[in-house]
Amino acid sequence: MSPDRNIRAEIMKAARTSRDGVDAIVTGLEGPLGDAVLEAVEIIAQKSGRVILTGVGKSGHIGAKAAATFASTGTPAMFVHATEASHGDLGMITPDDCIIAISWSGETRELSDVLYHARRSDIPLIAITSAADSTLARNASVTVKLPRVEEACPLGLAPTTSTLMQMMACDTIAIGLLVRRGFSEHDFKHFHPGGSLGASLTLVRDAMHTGDALPLIQSGSTLMQAIEVITEKGFGLVIITDEAGRMCGVVTDGDLRRSAHVDSTSAFVDDVMTVGGLTVEPDMLLASALKTVQDNRVGALVVEEDGHAVGVIHVLDMLRIGAA
């Protein structure tokens, strides 16, 4: 067997082993593991402070990432390294907080001071470990016991499958809290204002064109007048309104092409318009509006509120903001 084939075989074996760990978590969530996660969610939800993630080594790295996940999904959180906790950082943990301690073996010596501090200050402690009879589990308010599986590392030594499972356990708790608290897409935006994610979470009303920029024309106008407005405003459509200013429909570039046989000097917009038209609401997320554009293969959308056209948003606006 060539060296490349041997490496590929080991990589595939590692991937399958990791997959087995994921499957074990999914299966476990249907039983006692799921019950423990739900109990952890309820314990955290009852506290007014933060979730304190702690651990050392690879478990510490998982804790740091998990703290970021909790914080970004509406649960204030921070990571406290177990070793640093013994040298003053215990002062960061208050009785209003809740601790999640991560240790595969449950016998991490550096966690001892955190455990003592939790007992002394009556701070709930959630253990994420694979050993139900470990020191960590015995001192926990609830233990999220992970199934024991083989590490993906061919030596069986480097934390690989185990850290993947620890991450999944933390993520399930974070998602459980997100759902319990009714954390919405709009809430999510407050914590993710930057990058393409922040752009996709922008509201339509924050990106739409309004006022004099709107391509408006009244019902009863000629098709030639509509063409002039479409050309002037540059959105590829004109919005048809009644005398009260309520939206009746739209005439788009597509409508004009389909009506090429009509005499534009004598026809009226009512004869060729699409009644109602494709609209979105101003408080819709830009990502949802973009999906509407893609699904319907259009270049622009009318923003409607209470029967009135209040804006227009073009796919180029979405590109400029970075949502596409």
Side-chain angles (χ1 to χ4, degrees):
M1 181 181 293
S2 69
D4 285 350
R5 290 185 62 187
N6 182 57
I7 293 172
R8 184 182 294 272
E10 290 295 334
I11 290 172
M12 293 300 297
K13 180 181 177 183
R16 286 191 292 269
T17 303
S18 295
R19 182 185 60 195
D20 291 343
V22 171
D23 290 342
I25 291 287
V26 173
T27 300
L29 287 171
E30 297 175 348
L33 176 59
D35 294 337
V37 168
L38 288 174
E39 187 175 352
V41 168
E42 195 58 32
I43 288 173
I44 296 171
Q46 295 300 322
K47 300 296 288 185
S48 61
R50 302 156 300 172
V51 174
I52 306 297
L53 282 296
T54 188
V56 297
K58 303 302 183 291
S59 296
H61 291 300
I62 296 300
K65 185 274 177 187
T69 298
F70 277 103
S72 71
T73 52
T75 299
M78 66 178 292
F79 174 71
V80 175
H81 196 283
T83 301
E84 296 298 332
S86 300
H87 296 275
D89 283 2
L90 283 175
M92 298 179 177
I93 309 173
T94 75
D96 293 326
D97 298 330
C98 182
I99 299 171
I100 296 180
I102 308 171
S103 169
W104 185 251
S105 69
E107 298 295 344
T108 304
R109 291 191 303 274
E110 293 88 342
L111 285 172
S112 58
D113 288 334
V114 175
L115 299 183
Y116 177 70
H117 181 67
R119 290 200 307 272
R120 180 180 59 194
S121 303
D122 195 27
I123 299 172
L125 187 143
I126 298 162
I128 296 181
T129 180
S130 66
D133 59 348
S134 63
T135 301
L136 175 59
R138 290 197 302 271
N139 286 276
S141 305
V142 60
T143 298
V144 178
K145 182 187 176 303
L146 304 179
R148 277 199 169 273
V149 296
E150 181 183 355
E151 296 285 12
C153 166
L155 303 177
L157 299 174
T160 44
T161 313
S162 58
T163 49
L164 174 63
M165 295 168 71
Q166 289 173 338
M167 182 66 69
M168 288 184 67
C170 291
D171 285 347
T172 57
I173 296 172
I175 296 305
L177 284 163
L178 179 153
V179 174
R180 189 189 184 284
R181 289 172 169 159
F183 193 78
S184 69
E185 293 171 319
H186 298 295
D187 297 320
F188 199 80
K189 174 178 169 52
H190 291 303
F191 301 112
H192 299 78
S196 59
L197 180 56
S200 66
L201 293 172
T202 298
L203 298 181
V204 167
R205 71 165 65 251
D206 297 326
M208 68 185 186
H209 299 267
T210 62
D212 292 339
L214 291 184
L216 299 173
I217 197 169
Q218 274 199 11
S219 173
S221 300
T222 66
L223 190 56
M224 180 58 72
Q225 290 174 308
I227 293 172
E228 291 174 355
V229 174
I230 292 175
T231 303
E232 177 189 352
K233 301 298 184 178
F235 292 108
L237 60 83
V238 62
I239 304 164
I240 315 303
T241 64
D242 61 19
E243 292 183 356
R246 298 182 65 85
M247 180 176 171
C248 302
V250 295
V251 174
T252 67
D253 286 339
D255 292 324
L256 294 177
R257 288 192 296 272
R258 287 185 289 273
S259 305
H261 61 285
V262 176
D263 183 357
S264 60
T265 60
S266 59
F268 296 95
V269 291
D270 308 71
D271 301 327
V272 300
M273 74 176 183
T274 299
V275 177
L278 191 62
T279 65
V280 293
E281 298 177 353
D283 288 327
M284 177 184 284
L285 292 174
L286 204 58
S288 300
L290 175 60
K291 186 176 187 305
T292 301
V293 166
Q294 293 170 328
D295 290 347
N296 292 276
R297 297 185 179 184
V298 296
L301 296 169
V302 178
V303 185
E304 184 182 13
E305 188 172 35
D306 296 329
H308 291 79
V310 296
V312 173
I313 186 162
H314 197 278
V315 67
L316 294 179
D317 301 318
M318 301 178 191
L319 290 169
R320 173 176 51 81
I321 292 171

